[in-house]
Amino acid sequence: LFYQTHHEKEKHFLTADGKEESFPSRMDPPSLELSVVVPSYNEELRLPVMMDEAMEYLEKRQKKNPSFTYEVIVVDDGSKDKTTEVAMKYTKNYGAQKVRVLTLVKNRGKGGAVRMGTLSSRGRLILMADADGATKFADIEKVEEGLESISEKPDNMAISCGSRAHLEKESVAQRSLFRTFLMFGFHFLVWFFCVRGIKDTQCGFKLFTREAALKTFSSLHVERWAFDVELLFIAQCFDIPVVEVAVNWTEIEGSKLVPFWSWLQMGRDLVFIRLRYLTGAWRLESERKTQ
């Protein structure tokens, strides 16, 4: 599939002393407990706040429990600012065993960035977390509990989604009527086209078992805003259990979503996703097992 090719430059990361090393292959067995994948596009200002919070939490947890091993992969999605340089400071501070920067040659969109990070990761569990730090990082414990609550994991596949659905009543009160209408319209489209039973598909805080991440991301077509919906649709098609867990969430200054046009674009993407699957233009190979 054409979009899965890594550019030569995307196969390597830099160590703390500037040496080039190769990312592992997705077929390699996992060697860490957790990989945190942080898609970042022009995030030089917000990334440090999120990374400081995440690293403080992860380091503290490792001190308490030395068998807890982790890595953070910051994926610079073709940024025009100094996102890579900012992220590299963390590699220099913590070492490349803990923080790696994957710089994409051109902008792919958030879905493409998360996929590239996932396919370069080493964790048994993979957390997707936004660079803006809108979700409190310690809430990873809530999504982990969600994952553990799934007793039946076919082929060890399961997904736990952070959710802001419990905040909806408040946010409706604060939003304009028009934006609220758009929001409900989008929810309806998500429900109508693909994903049943998940109230908040768009929260950027999702935890996957490695098997579920590889299975869903290697089947993903959509690389921009609506990728979360296709991802959960794919999970549904493969009977991968998904739970939704309430997380704390704060609206952060400088959000990338330009409300009106992005809602329209997402609506259009959803219509296309559904049509392409319905017409058989896109197929999921049910026999494709993750190695």
Side-chain angles (χ1 to χ4, degrees):
L1 294 168
F2 66 93
Y3 54 75
Q4 280 176 10
T5 50
H6 287 52
H7 190 282
E8 206 43 50
K9 286 180 184 160
E10 296 168 346
K11 293 177 181 170
H12 304 104
F13 61 91
L14 293 178
T15 62
D17 49 13
K19 282 202 191 75
E20 212 174 66
E21 283 188 16
S22 295
F23 279 109
S25 146
R26 67 180 181 161
M27 294 313 176
D28 293 349
S31 55
L32 301 172
E33 276 307 300
L34 174 71
S35 293
V36 181
V37 176
V38 186
S40 308
Y41 179 62
N42 294 342
E43 288 291 3
E44 62 178 13
L45 297 175
R46 298 194 298 183
L47 186 65
V49 181
M50 179 269 168
M51 283 295 287
D52 289 347
E53 186 192 349
M55 295 307 293
E56 185 187 349
Y57 170 85
L58 293 164
E59 287 289 283
K60 211 181 264 177
R61 183 159 163 180
Q62 194 173 58
K63 275 204 181 75
K64 232 193 276 178
N65 172 14
S67 68
F68 171 73
T69 49
Y70 74 87
E71 67 177 347
V72 178
I73 299 176
V74 178
V75 186
D76 178 348
D77 190 15
S79 298
K80 295 178 174 63
D81 69 356
K82 293 195 164 58
T83 295
T84 288
E85 289 90 325
V86 167
M88 276 305 297
K89 287 179 186 158
Y90 292 88
T91 300
K92 291 191 173 83
N93 281 347
Y94 295 95
Q97 276 308 310
K98 288 183 172 172
V99 182
R100 296 181 171 183
V101 183
L102 167 53
T103 307
L104 302 184
V105 173
K106 62 177 201 307
N107 176 265
R108 288 174 178 250
K110 187 177 165 186
V114 178
R115 183 185 52 231
M116 295 291 280
T118 299
L119 299 182
S120 306
S121 70
R122 297 171 288 162
R124 261 182 279 282
L125 296 179
I126 296 166
L127 175 75
M128 157 183 140
D130 285 345
D132 63 6
T135 306
K136 264 185 56 200
F137 196 82
D139 280 359
I140 182 174
E141 291 171 22
K142 294 180 181 171
V143 286
E144 278 176 304
E145 279 164 25
L147 212 53
E148 279 156 27
S149 74
I150 300 171
S151 48
E152 293 284 311
K153 296 186 179 76
D155 295 332
N156 198 38
M157 293 194 290
I159 302 172
S160 178
C161 297
S163 169
R164 303 157 300 183
H166 60 294
L167 305 170
E168 203 156 272
K169 285 189 186 70
E170 293 166 41
S171 70
V172 166
Q174 290 158 8
R175 278 193 172 121
S176 68
L177 193 64
F178 183 56
R179 280 199 60 184
T180 302
F181 170 72
L182 285 174
M183 184 183 74
F184 283 116
F186 180 70
H187 285 344
F188 172 74
L189 278 178
V190 169
W191 176 86
F192 180 73
F193 285 121
C194 333
V195 179
R196 305 286 157 95
I198 297 288
K199 292 195 190 78
D200 179 10
T201 55
Q202 299 310 108
C203 179
F205 203 71
K206 292 184 174 71
L207 185 68
F208 302 77
T209 60
R210 184 177 188 78
E211 294 80 357
L214 294 179
K215 185 81 163 170
T216 51
F217 276 106
S218 55
S219 305
L220 189 71
H221 301 84
V222 176
E223 298 205 308
R224 304 235 163 238
W225 299 115
F227 86 95
D228 303 78
V229 179
E230 192 197 359
L231 203 66
L232 293 168
F233 175 68
I234 292 166
Q236 218 164 258
C237 293
F238 284 137
D239 291 326
I240 298 172
V242 180
V243 292
E244 201 171 11
V245 182
V247 293
N248 294 303
W249 195 81
T250 1
E251 191 98 40
I252 303 289
E253 285 290 307
S255 166
K256 295 280 182 319
L257 236 81
V258 186
F260 181 62
W261 290 111
S262 60
W263 287 112
L264 277 185
Q265 193 187 341
M266 281 162 92
R268 191 200 59 197
D269 286 355
L270 288 182
V271 174
F272 276 131
I273 291 170
R274 197 67 190 118
L275 284 175
R276 284 180 185 149
Y277 277 112
L278 278 174
T279 57
W282 289 354
R283 284 201 179 88
L284 296 175
E285 296 167 36
S286 52
E287 67 278 6
R288 175 165 47 190
K289 285 267 191 284
T290 51
Q291 300 291 305

